[in-house]
Amino acid sequence: MESIFHERQEGSLCAQHCLNNLLQGEYFSPVELSSIAQQLDEEERMRMAEGGVSSEEYRTFLQQPSVNMDDSGFFSIQVISNALKVWGLELILFNSPEYQRLGIDPINEKSFICNYKEHWFTVRKLGKQWFNLNSLLMGPELISDTYLALFLAQLQQEGYSIFVVKGDLPDCEADQLLQMIRVQQMQRPKLIGEEAAQSRDQRLPRSDVDQAIEVNHPFDGTGMLDEDEENFQKALALSRQEIDMEDEEADLRRAIQLSIQGSRQSELSSSLPQNVPQSSHSGQTDSLSSEELRRRRQAYFEKQQQQLQQQDQTPNLQDKATLSSSTPEADEGGDMSEEDMLQAAMNMSLESVRNHLNSEEEK
């Protein structure tokens, strides 16, 4: 759509943008439109003077501001109509009884000019497709043939006045190009203000955003977070700690259960009669409370710490103690001591944590 001429809004010069977007070029400037408005004002003054320059109506007319333009850059429909007459174009009110009796389908027209509360914009057919050339948009908006009638009806519902442009528009590059190809628009163009706000938010660093929030919602001057925010952060930290603790305890429970089931299975199978079903010993693990698990784990860590200290002092004695403590119960029937079960449980728990950290790093 780069070939389509589209002027964006500047000040209140929407009438100028409307005309240039309609004609697809820089055909009119504010100076030229002001000249047309002044000419219309002079013609109206001369008509009022025919009733007598000393009449009350004439003096009142002279005191009133121009209805064809103002200092903001607004121009009336009369200015737009006279500007188009230079190109042999005429405006007809779309919802007038005269036009409605013609029963013309909107898609068979060439262009429309829409006005609401001193804002003007053009809807024009280029090639075989319709475009909304509103100067408040960042670019042309494609309108399908099926949506055109609904779009115009919606504008009328919102209070817009719609004018049909009759006559031959000047040739333009966009019309010639779009006669040969059809364009597609994946996303509707944004409004100028909407685009500027989004760009400003993207340029603004996060720290500046925080500072802006602090300016609009200042704290009590201590430089600290307010009480609600501080309590929220504390609650969030506690919640994370509880979640981590629950995950660790769950892994430890599962590890101890697997260790108990694996070490006791052969002994239980040989001690029970063949006709008696084996009962599950998961209840033994379930009976271990969270406090008991913590206590055993703490005891294991303390014992490991003592062993490390002893190893630093007498490494040879430590090796013998390790061999003597790990041998007897294993030789007596393959039963695992409580320390061995805790060791296996901790190994599985640590392995689970390492796997979790590795998976997080890969993500």
Side-chain angles (χ1 to χ4, degrees):
M1 299 185 185
E2 296 180 356
S3 61
I4 299 178
F5 181 87
H6 178 258
E7 280 188 353
R8 298 179 184 177
Q9 187 75 17
E10 294 183 5
S12 299
L13 299 174
C14 53
Q16 171 196 331
H17 305 319
C18 173
L19 288 169
N20 289 339
N21 290 340
L22 171 68
L23 302 174
Q24 286 293 286
E26 297 180 356
Y27 287 87
F28 291 99
S29 67
V31 175
E32 293 170 332
L33 295 179
S34 297
S35 177
I36 295 175
Q38 292 173 359
Q39 182 180 355
L40 290 173
D41 289 343
E42 181 63 20
E43 292 176 357
E44 292 176 6
R45 187 193 67 78
M46 293 177 62
R47 286 195 297 269
M48 293 297 298
E50 293 177 357
V53 293
S54 59
S55 65
E56 185 68 23
E57 292 81 3
Y58 182 75
R59 289 196 298 268
T60 302
F61 172 79
L62 294 179
Q63 295 175 357
Q64 292 177 348
S66 172
V67 296
N68 294 302
M69 68 175 181
D70 59 26
D71 295 336
S72 68
F74 166 77
F75 296 99
S76 67
I77 181 62
Q78 288 80 9
V79 175
I80 294 177
S81 178
N82 278 29
L84 291 177
K85 287 180 180 178
V86 177
W87 295 93
L89 301 173
E90 180 184 4
L91 295 179
I92 300 178
L93 191 60
F94 177 70
N95 58 352
S96 64
E98 294 79 12
Y99 181 78
Q100 292 297 323
R101 280 197 295 266
L102 298 177
I104 301 176
D105 192 327
I107 63 173
N108 294 326
E109 298 291 354
K110 297 179 181 179
S111 58
F112 301 91
I113 287 180
C114 309
N115 167 252
Y116 179 67
K117 291 185 177 180
E118 300 184 354
H119 178 66
W120 302 91
F121 71 92
T122 292
V123 178
R124 172 172 173 171
K125 191 174 188 178
L126 292 169
K128 299 179 182 180
Q129 294 175 286
W130 284 91
F131 296 89
N132 176 10
L133 303 179
N134 195 333
S135 58
L136 293 177
L137 295 174
M138 292 298 297
E141 178 186 14
L142 180 64
I143 301 177
S144 65
D145 291 349
T146 55
Y147 181 64
L148 178 63
L150 181 61
F151 178 72
L152 296 176
Q154 181 181 355
L155 291 178
Q156 287 182 305
Q157 187 70 22
E158 294 175 357
Y160 276 82
S161 298
I162 303 177
F163 300 89
V164 183
V165 181
K166 290 291 187 179
D168 296 329
L169 294 167
D171 294 335
C172 64
E173 178 184 357
D175 185 60
Q176 296 174 358
L177 180 62
L178 293 175
Q179 290 286 351
M180 299 179 291
I181 61 173
R182 295 181 66 88
V183 297
Q184 292 182 348
Q185 190 172 49
M186 304 304 297
Q187 186 176 5
R188 177 188 179 276
K190 298 179 180 179
L191 293 171
I192 292 179
E194 182 182 3
E195 181 76 12
Q198 185 177 12
S199 300
R200 183 171 58 253
D201 293 342
Q202 292 176 350
R203 292 194 305 268
L204 196 63
R206 180 58 187 166
S207 59
D208 293 343
V209 174
D210 294 337
Q211 293 176 5
I213 294 176
E214 292 176 2
V215 170
N216 293 328
H217 303 282
F219 297 128
D220 55 5
T222 61
M224 302 290 291
L225 293 173
D226 58 23
E227 185 177 357
D228 292 339
E229 179 67 17
E230 187 175 358
N231 292 336
F232 173 76
Q233 295 296 337
K234 289 181 179 179
L236 184 59
L238 290 174
S239 175
R240 289 172 178 170
Q241 291 177 1
E242 291 175 359
I243 292 174
D244 294 340
M245 183 66 70
E246 291 174 0
D247 292 342
E248 186 178 355
E249 291 174 0
D251 291 338
L252 186 56
R253 283 178 181 273
R254 288 192 294 268
I256 292 176
Q257 182 177 356
L258 291 173
S259 300
I260 292 175
Q261 291 178 352
S263 62
R264 301 286 188 180
Q265 188 66 36
S266 58
E267 180 182 353
L268 293 174
S269 299
S270 60
S271 62
L272 289 175
Q274 296 296 326
N275 58 350
V276 178
Q278 297 181 3
S279 60
S280 172
H281 287 265
S282 61
Q284 181 177 355
T285 303
D286 295 338
S287 64
L288 294 175
S289 64
S290 300
E291 185 63 31
E292 182 67 16
L293 290 173
R294 292 193 187 97
R295 186 183 64 79
R296 292 189 180 187
R297 184 173 54 193
Q298 183 64 28
Y300 173 76
F301 286 143
E302 291 176 356
K303 191 169 184 178
Q304 288 290 101
Q305 185 67 24
Q306 293 174 1
Q307 290 178 353
L308 291 174
Q309 292 176 357
Q310 294 174 2
Q311 184 179 4
D312 294 337
Q313 297 175 359
T314 56
N316 294 331
L317 293 177
Q318 177 62 30
D319 294 338
K320 294 180 180 180
T322 303
L323 290 173
S324 62
S325 63
S326 61
T327 305
E329 290 186 5
D331 294 337
E332 291 176 1
D335 192 10
M336 295 180 64
S337 66
E338 181 180 358
E339 180 178 340
D340 293 335
M341 288 186 288
L342 286 173
Q343 176 66 47
M346 290 305 300
N347 290 339
M348 295 184 67
S349 177
L350 293 174
E351 184 66 20
S352 175
V353 172
R354 283 195 294 268
N355 293 337
H356 176 72
L357 292 175
N358 291 335
S359 63
E360 288 294 328
E361 291 177 355
E362 291 176 359
K363 292 180 180 180

